[in-house]
Amino acid sequence: MKQKNYPLERIRNMGLVAHIDAGKTTVTERILYYTGIVHQIGEVHEGSTTMDWMEQEKERGITINSAATTCYWDDNRINIIDTPGHVDFTVEVERSLRVLDGVVVIFCGVAGVEPQSETVWHQADNYEIPRIAFVNKLDRTGADFYYAVDTIKSKLRPNTHPIQIPLYDDDFIGVLNLIEWKALIYDKDALGLKYSTLDPEECEFVEEKTLSKARKLRANLIEKLADFDENILNKFLEDKEVEVGDLHSALRTATMSNEFVPVLCGSALKNKGIQPLLHAVVRYLPSPVDIPPILIASPPDSDNQVEIKADDTLPFAALAFKSKVDSYVGNLTYLRVYSGKMERGDFVLNVNTGKSERVTRIIQIHADKKVNVESLRAGEIGAVVGLHNTTSGDSITDKNQPVVLERIPFAEPVMSIVIEPKKAVDEQKIDDVLPKILDEDPTYHTKEDVETGQLIISGMGELHLEILVDRLAREYGIEVNVGKPHVNFKETIKGSVESSGILNRTVNGKGQFAEVELRIEHHKVDKKSGGKKVWFQNNTSVEEIPKRFIRAVEAGVIESAASGLLTGNKVEDVKISLIGGSFSEVDSSEIAFKIASAKAFVKALKKAKLILLEPIMDITILTPEDYLGRVINDLNGRRGKVNKIEEKDSIKIINGVVPLKETFGYSTSIRSVSQGRASYSMEFKNYEKIPENISKKIIEKLRGY
């Protein structure tokens, strides 16, 4: 395939993120249709979408894997990643946001901001990604555009403002563009391809109260944009007409600075509002050249700084943000190129592993379809074949100028199941297959129960684990027996303790000596600790312990923290300080210090007051008022807590928290207490201390008392 090389300023790397069922994939399908990439619209409810191509996605009507594609609009190339909305697959959102320049956040016009909407919004905040909001489903009964905008302002970003409003004539028929002051009216039954652009003042079906509201919103929008453009400010103060071009320019500046979020609207299912959204993407979201360059040490850990920016002439630097095993091409690695250029046949360096690898194929991805291309340039997203030892978060660079790009943080699993193959012949097969699945999704963890020898799989929730079991059967022909899901607890300490560890022995005629003194104290994760849940600090001098042994001490305590004394679960939220020790010029070694520090850590845990922690979920429940009391009583019976109750129309919206352990079977329970009329959604919040009486029972059960 011959590539057209678009100038970098005409490339957009953008993603679609939302709460589950807000219409993300439906929006993507319309984008592909209107840009000419597909010639028939796929529907989620029919299982015919282009982007949700996995059998599990078609059956459940949800996105599980982030899917990449490329389309073209107004002579711009748009690389799109459609991400899952279900909380169990948050890893797909996290690694997609890491490599995107802008996002469109989609909201349901009925529900407004929902729990996962907040999660993906805050993930975008972490990466400081400019965004556009799109209020979808305005054709549905109960849809309220202004309510949705108010929830965005109150819950997510105050500096949010519509640049469109919906127009109705019994049904939703189009949008009024506040910047250009044009009404876009869609023809009926025309798949959204035909529409009229009219003066809203001359549209007989546009009521005066709608026009009055639109005028006020436009005046308010101009006032807000005056903060970003001196020319608009002067005209605003002088009460002069502001040019449309000035408004577009100011809106681009405000959006790219991540200080303002424009809101658009439509109904993807009814094929309305997608073309204006595409115009907004190319007008307001940044191109790769709009992203500020970063300075990174090269080689890593040196004082020499190199600039990483979207420039083909600079040395090659890319981030691997996703890997998967493809049944046709083998190992497939998704890359975002930040600088330089990579061509087919090039040798590149995986800086994290230190290994050089050859790029055998370069592919432009369109969901599950692949097109061979000759190169990937700065600012582009694509996939390569031939990187056999690369995982998500690895830096792939020029061999002569290695740099380490910021890695992708992955959440830890909160739920586990025990699995075992139904057939003995599959035992070796499952050992070969699981590493491949774990490479694709780093939020899956596995370990073997040391007492029973059973295989324990951990994941982000029941659906996450269900998908893994389903993939084993469908893709690899491995049927497994599955144990009941159980929660992943954590352990921590209360207060502070000190202890020492000494190793002084002779092994194979050679002495091994190390002495360490540790202080271990409770410490919540914060910026000071760099987000580390086990934070190690060296407070010794080189006279006490030379620098060459410090990493061994840290490794010893980190490994020991992987298994606590209460239940064998991880020890977290602790700060470990190395406060003293001694060494021998002759007999000390790294392994000696690793063993001594592990002994000191275990001794400290035995002296400390240990606390068991459990995962807590944010929960949002929608219920008719008639069942409010019964729903709250049921939640309280599960150790849940109601934080706030809101009302929309005749529906009560309960926001609260509940321990994950108490949510098994909740779907059945909430249907029972509400006669099937209540619904809920959950997402992981944090780990909290378990009440002592309940903690005691859990510990006794896990220990088999």
Side-chain angles (χ1 to χ4, degrees), residues 305-325:
Q305 299 274 301
V306 297
E307 190 175 65
I308 304 295
K309 66 177 181 178
D311 186 335
D312 290 358
T313 64
L314 293 175
F316 177 71
L319 185 74
F321 66 95
K322 182 174 179 176
S323 61
K324 63 175 292 184
V325 177

Side-chain angles (χ1 to χ4, degrees), residues 515-516 540-547 549-550 578 580-582 593:
E515 179 182 15
V516 298
T540 62
S541 65
V542 292
E543 288 77 21
E544 292 173 291
I545 301 178
K547 283 187 176 180
F549 297 131
I550 300 302
L578 178 60
S582 60
F593 271 96

Side-chain angles (χ1 to χ4, degrees), residues 79-369:
N79 299 314
I80 301 174
I81 298 181
D82 176 26
T83 65
H86 196 287
V87 64
D88 282 14
F89 306 101
T90 186
V91 61
E92 295 289 336
V93 182
E94 189 73 45
R95 58 185 170 192
S96 298
L97 289 176
R98 172 64 182 83
V99 298
L100 293 171
D101 300 328
V103 294
V104 174
V105 188
I106 299 170
F107 299 91
C108 172
V110 178
V113 173
E114 298 173 272
Q116 188 66 3
S117 310
E118 293 191 64
T119 298
V120 296
W121 190 279
H122 295 317
Q123 285 175 300
D125 277 340
N126 290 338
Y127 293 111
E128 299 180 346
I129 300 177
R131 68 212 74 165
I132 291 170
F134 181 77
V135 179
N136 191 28
K137 299 193 174 184
L138 290 178
D139 61 297
R140 288 182 56 184
T141 302
D144 186 338
F145 173 72
Y146 301 103
Y147 166 80
V149 172
D150 286 344
T151 63
I152 298 170
K153 287 183 177 180
S154 62
K155 295 182 178 181
L156 302 176
R157 181 73 65 82
N159 208 12
T160 297
H161 199 283
I163 62 170
Q164 295 175 347
I165 63 169
L167 295 175
Y168 291 89
D169 185 15
D170 292 331
D171 297 323
F172 174 61
I173 58 168
V175 299
L176 195 163
N177 185 320
L178 297 178
I179 293 180
E180 299 178 354
W181 198 245
K182 296 291 183 183
L184 196 68
I185 309 301
Y186 285 83
D187 291 3
K188 291 183 179 180
D189 305 319
L191 292 178
L193 291 169
K194 295 181 180 179
Y195 51 84
S196 303
T197 304
L198 307 171
D199 183 337
E201 311 276 358
E202 298 176 1
C203 295
E204 59 184 33
F205 52 81
V206 179
E207 298 178 354
E208 179 55 37
K209 65 178 182 180
T210 301
L211 286 173
S212 177
K213 188 175 186 69
R215 292 186 193 103
K216 289 178 182 177
L217 286 170
R218 188 174 194 269
N220 191 42
L221 174 62
I222 292 172
E223 185 177 354
K224 285 183 175 292
L225 293 179
D227 293 337
F228 302 94
D229 189 291
E230 190 173 338
N231 185 36
I232 293 178
L233 177 61
N234 292 332
K235 288 184 178 180
F236 178 78
L237 294 174
E238 295 170 9
D239 200 25
K240 292 182 178 178
E241 184 68 25
V242 179
E243 298 294 330
V244 169
D246 290 339
L247 292 175
H248 283 311
S249 176
L251 189 52
R252 176 172 172 79
T253 300
T255 304
M256 289 201 305
S257 68
N258 205 19
E259 296 178 77
F260 185 86
V261 179
V263 185
L264 292 87
C265 58
S267 168
L269 185 63
K270 299 299 182 181
N271 312 310
K272 295 177 175 68
I274 303 303
Q275 295 95 331
L277 176 62
L278 283 164
H279 286 309
V281 166
V282 299
R283 274 177 176 157
Y284 310 133
L285 290 182
S287 71
V289 295
D290 297 314
I291 305 302
I294 54 175
L295 289 174
I296 296 183
S298 178
D301 300 324
S302 72
D303 294 328
N304 183 47
Q305 299 274 301
V306 297
E307 190 175 65
I308 304 295
K309 66 177 181 178
D311 186 335
D312 290 358
T313 64
L314 293 175
F316 177 71
L319 185 74
F321 66 95
K322 182 174 179 176
S323 61
K324 63 175 292 184
V325 177
D326 186 273
S327 55
Y328 296 103
V329 301
N331 291 324
L332 193 62
T333 305
Y334 290 73
L335 297 179
R336 162 67 193 263
V337 182
Y338 285 94
S339 69
K341 183 179 179 181
M342 175 182 66
E343 296 183 329
R344 184 166 59 88
D346 282 354
F347 283 88
V348 293
L349 175 68
N350 182 324
V351 185
N352 299 86
T353 64
K355 294 183 178 179
S356 177
E357 299 191 80
R358 184 172 181 266
V359 176
T360 56
R361 284 176 66 185
I362 302 176
I363 295 169
Q364 182 176 303
I365 298 291
H366 177 50
D368 62 333
K369 297 179 176 60

